[in-house]
Structure formats: C-alpha cells, structure tokens
Amino acid sequence: MAFNFDIVNWVKARNRSIVRVNVGRVERQSSSEIKFTIDQDSIVWPRWFNETLPRSWCTETCRPGSAKVVKEGQPPCCYDCAPCVEGTVSTQEDASHCQKCPEDQHSNKVRDQCVPKHVTFLSYEEPLGIILNTLTLVFSFITSLVLGIFIKYLDTPVVKANNRDLSYLLLVSLLLSFLSSLLFIGEPREVTCLLRQTAFSIIFSIAVSSVLAKTVTVVVAFMASKPGSRMRRWLGKSLANSIVFACSGIQVGICTLWLGISPPFPDSDRHSQTEEIVLQCNEGSVTMFYTALGYMGLLSAICFTVAFLARKLPGAFNETKLITFSMLVFCSVWVSFVPSYLSTKGKYMVAVQVFSILASSVGLLGCIFLPKCYIIILRPHLNTKEHLMMKQKFGI
C-alpha cells in the first residue's frame, strides 16, 4: 500500500495567524524508488533564524578538475575530492573518475580541459639551434683555413713530416664532421634521418683511422731508423692507407648492415614531455646504433694507447705527444656523452650529440694542427729541414 506525503511549511503571518504552505512532496514511484522534491525558494524561515542552512551531503561538491573518492566505511554520499593527475581531466562537477587526454593533447593547469600539445624540434631559429649552427660554421671555416695553410706550405718540413696525405685526409674528415652536425638541426626528414648517424659514424671513423695511421707511421719510422731494422719495408704510404681503409671499412660495413636491417626513420615522441610532441629520428635499431658508437670508441682507445706508448720517442717524431693529448680530449668527450645522452629528453638529446661532435672535432683540430700552424705562420725559422735534422741529431 503506497502513501504520498506533502512537505509543509507553517508560516506565522503578521496577524498572528498560521498559514500552511506546501514546499515539497515525497512520492513513491515504485516498490523501491521514492521521489523527493522540495522548493527551497518557497520556504519562509523565521526572522530570528540566521544560521547556515544544514547540508544533506557529507562533503562539498567536487569541482571540475577533480573526481570523487568514496571514503571507506562511509555512505556513498560521503567522499573526498581528489585532483586529476597530469594528463587527465574532469569536465563536470562530482565526476566519478578523471578521463585521460588523447596522446596529442595534455591537461591544463586546473585539469578541467585537454589542450593540444605543441610540436617541437631542434630548429635553426631557436637560440640553442642558432648557437650550435654558428659554432659549426665558425669551426668549419677555421678547418678550411688550416687546410688552405697546409696546401700552401705543402713542401715545408712541418707539413711533409709524418705523411702529408694523412694530414689532408684528417683535415677533410674534420671539416665533414663539423658539417655533419647540420644534419641534426632542423625538422627530421627521411633523408636526414638516414644520413645523420651513418654519416657521423663513418666520417669520425675515417678521422680516427687517420690519426691511428699517423701514430703507427711515427712508430714504424722510428723503428726503421735503427740499423738493420726490418721495418724499413713498411715505410711508405701503403701501410697508412691500409690502416685507414681497413678501420673505416669495418664501420662502413656496420652502417650498411644497419641501413639494411632497420634503418632510421622520422618519428615523434608524445610521452617524454607532458606539453610537447618532439619530432625526432628513430634510430631503428638501437643495437646497431651502439655498435657503431662502440666501434668508434674501440678505435679511439686503440689510437690513444698506441700514441701514449709512443709519446717518448725522440723530438723529431714528437707528434705522438700531440696525438696523445688530442685523443685524450676525444675519448673524454665521448665517454661523458653516453650518460649525458641517456639522461636528457627530447630535442636536448640531439643538442648533446651535436655538442659532442663539435667538441671532439675541435679537440683533434686544436691539439694536432694549431701547434703546426703556429710554427708555419709565426715561427717560420723553425720550419726548415736543418732545424728538423738538428732536433733528430740531439734527440730534442
């Protein structure tokens, strides 16, 4: 048997009479459902009643940007309001849960709306790109200038000593290594993604192979100067050329295999940065990337070891001291590169690699060639055959 009830407000009129005002109703809709309606504007409170109206809920309404979390052991109407976490939003009051934003969007500060992420990459227009691009052009110009000096003074003893052709090859490879850093700046495209890591690996392998060949040439020349030495047959360009072709050829094979198995391609990173979509080059095969990098490290370690062991040769062959220091700088840069590369995200990973390319190339250029340019330009009296023979005679 169903009953309905009126909610009555008894109001005392000015003439002290009592007036009955219906302000709501309780109706039974079915056996288990009850409809409760009330008109708050129709309720007349006594003038002396100035208290806050009682609430029928255990908590305030959860605003957009938060969601309800029911308190354990409490009625369903008693809950806490938990703010939505990064990447999720709630757009309504008393939302039961926060909704996740699409991959190309992120939540705003108050977590009540998804807004588009902005696309970013290491561009030529931003300050970091301008700095790296300027350094690349400056160092490329300096390398070209040094190469021009060596070509102009090609018949002088300083240039001819320790294989002139290897010096040219090393300078050209350093020039290309500087220019290869430009492939890392700008919006990633299919061609630049294919070339940036492979070109960098091959060019640097040629450079390090040239330094290794120069070091071995110094050692062989010193050993061949001893009476009755069998090392005389190894003197000449054939040994140096063989070292360069063999060492750089292995890197070419690694990069060819890399491009054949899983070549790099343009990609986007939507997760590492909360408010950005980072355009980048996916290396394709991370194993091949670190294999190419590891081979270059092995080649550098061998070159440094040989140069370090040969650093105390007589003064006529003291280029090994310069090579030792240059390879120490080179190896230090790339040893610090790995943790720096792994600890950065987004476009700053690219900036770290570009900086490492520039720093290591400057180390080779400055340590090996600037002392020779100093002698050629500012101390020409030391750039004579007589001075070189005097150093060899007295072992200074």
Side-chain angles (χ1 to χ4, degrees), residues 197 281 283 289-290 293 336-345 348-353 356:
Q197 297 294 355
C281 286
E283 309 306 345
F289 169 70
Y290 283 106
L293 198 64
S336 61
F337 161 77
V338 175
S340 301
Y341 185 80
L342 295 176
S343 61
T344 53
K345 296 180 180 180
Y348 298 104
M349 295 178 66
V350 180
V352 167
Q353 186 166 4
S356 298

Side-chain angles (χ1 to χ4, degrees), residues 127-143 178-179 181-182 185 351 354-355 358-359 362 365:
L128 182 58
I130 293 174
I131 292 174
L132 294 176
N133 191 36
T134 302
L135 291 176
T136 297
L137 297 178
V138 169
F139 292 141
S140 298
F141 173 76
I142 295 175
T143 307
F178 283 126
L179 295 177
S181 62
L182 297 177
I185 307 175
V354 173
F355 178 79
L358 296 178
V362 168
L365 178 66

